[in-house]
Amino acid sequence: MSSPRVNTGRQFYENLVPSYTIYDIDCPDYSFRKFTDDGKYLVAFSRNYQDLIVYRPIWPTFSCNEASDSHDLPPKAKKFDSFFKQLYSISLASSNEYICKDFFLYMEGHQFGLFATSTAQSNDSNTSEGAIHGVPSIEKINFYLVRLQDGAILDEKAFCNDFINLAHSIGAYLYEDLLCIVSLRYQTIHILQIRDSGNLVEVRKIGAFCQEDDELFLHSHGQAVRGVSFLPGIKQRLLSFIFRKTWNEESDQTLRVQHLKKKFYFHFQDYVDLIIWKVQFLDRHHLFIKFGSVDGGVSRSTEQSLAFFAVYNMETADIVSLYQNSSEELYSLFEYFYDHFHANPQNSSHGNFISSHSNNVHALDQLQTIKNKASNSSQFVKKMVASLPYTCQSQSPSPYFDLSLFRYDEKLISAIDRHRHCTEHPIKFISVKQPNIVKFKIKPGSDSGASDSRAKRISSFLFHPFFPLALSIQQTYMQPTVVNEILLSE
């Protein structure tokens, strides 16, 4: 949680708001991804998703020599290069590979960017040894570490015939200099360290084995018998934790056996069939791991699927705690200690500003309202904790999303990095201190307001982390992308 002194300083933004929209600006036909959290770079990809293009925001390169209506801005104001300077364009993907348009992680300390390319997904690939049946395969996935200052590719890491969920960076998590990449197909958690030199060094694998010497231990004790299949080490840890937990729930020996039959052995195969869905760091030593069914691991909606959340200590290879996705205890942790799931590094300049229900009374009120309206407590809990583990760098730190300063319709716009259905009506940002005062509006679409209501339009918003500047991007099927610029006009 940010210090009161810093949060008080943010109140400055109540009176420094975007006040003018430049519609349909003259800009390159690129896919704009996001601003880095320090505001120094705007990341974009070419339309064929082969090239990485990086811009530096500049402010601005035109001026008005005489007092005039803001609607009479000079023609140069409609040009993209009046606000952004292209630093470079580099080719990342080759031939049959494409840049993952939703994947980008940023290491602020060294201004490194992590990008991913992949070949097409295959659903009918042959099952190889150790691969999970039902999980698709991608022939090649490449991760690139790029120095954003000059576009130098410092290192890369390849995964072949694997499946990593690259959408919205779900399959990877960055914490300080540690990077976690989850192989769904081979159920392996790869822990890499990003060295100061820009090298990606794999320091640990968690999956079939949990400790570095586990495989050696099995071989030396004659346990690695050809043709005999062992459960993966991480699954062994999970099953033993569930067994001990179930065992300790009953003190009477006779009742304990019956309890184990009902609670553990009856569901044994269900536990064995669980796979790792998603992982995040809680700190440098603990991972927060979500286990669920194979179907839920590759589908978009997982709210109703049975899932378990485990806190795993990488150093001791022990599961510290385990919760089912309907657990009231887990929901309490989610409600009151949500910021601990964000695991923002201490040196993050802006990541600690993000509003949540554990650091903001207005966000907590919103959550409590939803909770009070819920007709089914268990379903409500499942829906709320479905967002865990937290997706890395998925929220904008812009002060205009600070719920202590502004209210807005989160169905239309929010700090979360997602496309939304385009609305015909302006999106209002209302003062929290003065509930009847609209501080500013964002109107997606064209200046004339004319649009084909039958066409499906989606919009996304890229807010600069501290400038009163945002890009509003509208996409309509089979039509050119429209980019509007929302900025302070005076």
Side-chain angles (χ1 to χ4, degrees):
M1 187 170 176
S2 305
S3 67
R5 178 179 61 83
V6 176
N7 278 338
T8 300
R10 273 203 136 195
Q11 294 176 7
F12 172 71
Y13 284 95
E14 289 178 311
N15 299 304
L16 182 71
V17 296
S19 54
Y20 185 66
T21 300
I22 304 175
Y23 292 94
D24 197 7
I25 60 174
D26 181 10
C27 71
D29 186 23
Y30 294 150
S31 174
F32 295 100
R33 179 65 186 94
K34 68 182 295 185
F35 289 99
T36 55
D37 283 353
D38 62 0
K40 292 183 178 179
Y41 305 100
L42 172 63
V43 172
F45 305 125
S46 60
R47 278 295 170 195
N48 63 1
Y49 295 106
Q50 300 282 307
D51 304 323
L52 163 68
I53 305 98
V54 173
Y55 290 89
R56 185 182 296 281
I58 51 179
W59 186 272
T61 57
F62 64 87
S63 62
C64 299
N65 295 324
E66 56 187 45
S68 65
D69 190 332
S70 60
H71 291 274
D72 296 328
L73 290 174
K76 195 175 181 182
K78 287 202 69 170
K79 292 187 176 295
F80 186 80
D81 59 11
S82 291
F83 299 88
F84 300 95
K85 176 185 178 182
Q86 180 175 319
L87 298 182
Y88 53 83
S89 173
I90 61 170
S91 179
L92 275 189
S94 59
S95 62
N96 63 337
E97 293 181 352
Y98 299 93
I99 297 172
C100 176
K101 63 180 180 179
D102 295 328
F103 187 94
F104 168 58
L105 295 177
Y106 175 58
M107 188 177 182
E108 185 173 333
H110 296 286
Q111 296 183 0
F112 295 158
L114 188 74
F115 302 90
T117 65
S118 76
T119 54
Q121 176 179 313
S122 172
N123 292 315
D124 56 355
S125 57
N126 296 324
T127 302
S128 55
E129 184 180 355
I132 300 297
H133 180 72
V135 175
S137 177
I138 297 174
E139 183 181 350
K140 188 177 182 183
I141 301 168
N142 246 358
F143 292 91
Y144 292 92
L145 189 69
V146 177
R147 187 168 57 212
L148 294 179
Q149 179 181 359
D150 56 10
I153 299 175
L154 303 176
D155 204 351
E156 59 184 272
K157 172 74 174 176
F159 295 84
C160 297
N161 299 313
D162 207 332
F163 184 81
I164 296 165
N165 193 345
L166 298 175
H168 304 290
S169 308
I170 286 173
Y173 197 96
L174 181 64
Y175 179 76
E176 295 178 347
D177 61 340
L178 295 178
L179 174 66
C180 161
I181 297 175
V182 181
S183 161
L184 285 178
R185 184 167 164 79
Y186 293 101
Q187 288 294 283
T188 302
I189 304 169
H190 299 265
I191 307 296
L192 293 86
Q193 185 178 35
I194 302 174
R195 299 286 173 84
D196 292 351
S197 58
N199 296 111
L200 290 168
V201 180
E202 185 149 29
V203 294
R204 193 188 302 269
K205 285 184 185 179
I206 302 166
F209 306 103
C210 295
Q211 299 278 34
E212 293 179 5
D213 59 350
D214 280 357
E215 188 173 9
L216 177 64
F217 179 85
L218 286 175
H219 280 283
S220 64
H221 287 74
Q223 298 297 313
V225 182
R226 186 177 297 277
V228 175
S229 177
F230 290 94
L231 286 173
I234 188 68
K235 190 67 66 63
Q236 293 273 15
R237 300 297 200 278
L238 176 67
L239 288 168
S240 64
F241 183 91
I242 296 172
F243 178 89
R244 291 196 307 271
K245 185 174 183 293
T246 309
W247 175 276
N248 292 329
E249 285 173 354
E250 280 289 352
S251 57
D252 182 89
Q253 187 67 27
T254 305
L255 294 175
R256 177 177 282 167
V257 172
Q258 295 300 319
H259 189 63
L260 280 172
K261 286 181 180 179
K262 181 181 178 182
K263 295 286 189 179
F264 181 74
Y265 293 112
F266 182 77
H267 297 286
F268 183 79
Q269 192 58 47
D270 295 328
Y271 296 142
V272 169
D273 292 340
L274 292 172
I275 68 166
I276 298 169
W277 281 0
K278 192 178 175 184
V279 180
Q280 73 160 95
F281 286 104
L282 292 176
D283 56 34
R284 295 186 68 86
H285 306 292
H286 293 87
L287 297 175
F288 191 55
I289 306 174
K290 186 175 187 177
F291 292 90
S293 67
V294 173
D295 291 340
V298 295
S299 69
R300 289 182 178 270
S301 178
T302 60
E303 289 174 12
Q304 305 308 318
S305 303
L306 176 66
F308 292 86
F309 298 86
V311 177
Y312 177 80
N313 186 317
M314 292 190 291
E315 306 304 320
T316 62
D318 290 326
I319 288 180
V320 178
S321 56
L322 185 72
Y323 307 93
Q324 198 167 320
N325 62 336
S326 57
S327 165
E328 292 285 349
E329 184 181 357
L330 176 62
Y331 173 76
S332 294
L333 295 173
F334 167 85
E335 181 173 322
Y336 296 107
F337 302 101
Y338 184 66
D339 286 354
H340 291 270
F341 293 103
H342 281 241
N344 284 315
Q346 293 301 310
N347 62 352
S348 174
S349 301
H350 306 283
N352 293 318
F353 289 124
I354 295 170
S355 295
S356 77
H357 44 262
S358 61
N359 68 24
N360 187 289
V361 66
H362 305 285
L364 180 60
D365 286 344
Q366 289 181 9
L367 180 65
Q368 294 287 1
T369 300
I370 298 171
K371 183 178 181 180
N372 294 335
K373 289 180 179 179
S375 57
N376 185 306
S377 176
S378 177
Q379 294 302 319
F380 167 77
V381 169
K382 286 183 180 181
K383 184 176 182 179
M384 290 298 105
V385 302
S387 61
L388 299 176
Y390 174 70
T391 302
C392 189
Q393 299 180 11
S394 63
Q395 290 183 265
S396 168
S398 167
Y400 302 108
F401 292 121
D402 191 328
L403 293 172
S404 299
L405 305 178
F406 303 100
R407 288 191 297 112
Y408 44 87
D409 188 343
E410 294 202 50
K411 296 185 181 70
L412 303 178
I413 192 170
S414 79
I416 298 173
D417 177 23
R418 287 291 188 275
H419 292 294
R420 299 175 187 275
H421 291 297
C422 201
T423 176
E424 299 299 323
H425 307 289
I427 302 170
K428 298 177 181 179
F429 284 71
I430 300 169
S431 170
V432 169
K433 287 185 177 179
Q434 301 169 291
N436 297 320
I437 303 296
V438 177
K439 286 301 218 177
F440 67 99
K441 300 177 183 178
I442 292 178
K443 183 181 179 298
S446 64
D447 190 11
S448 65
S451 65
D452 184 355
S453 59
R454 296 168 297 177
K456 182 180 180 182
R457 294 192 301 149
I458 58 172
S459 61
S460 57
F461 302 92
L462 305 183
F463 275 72
H464 192 277
F466 48 85
F467 285 160
L469 169 68
L471 296 179
S472 163
I473 303 165
Q474 292 80 48
Q475 294 172 288
T476 307
Y477 181 65
M478 297 296 288
Q479 293 184 24
T481 300
V482 175
V483 179
N484 299 334
E485 197 152 22
I486 303 106
L487 69 155
L488 184 74
S489 64
E490 56 184 352

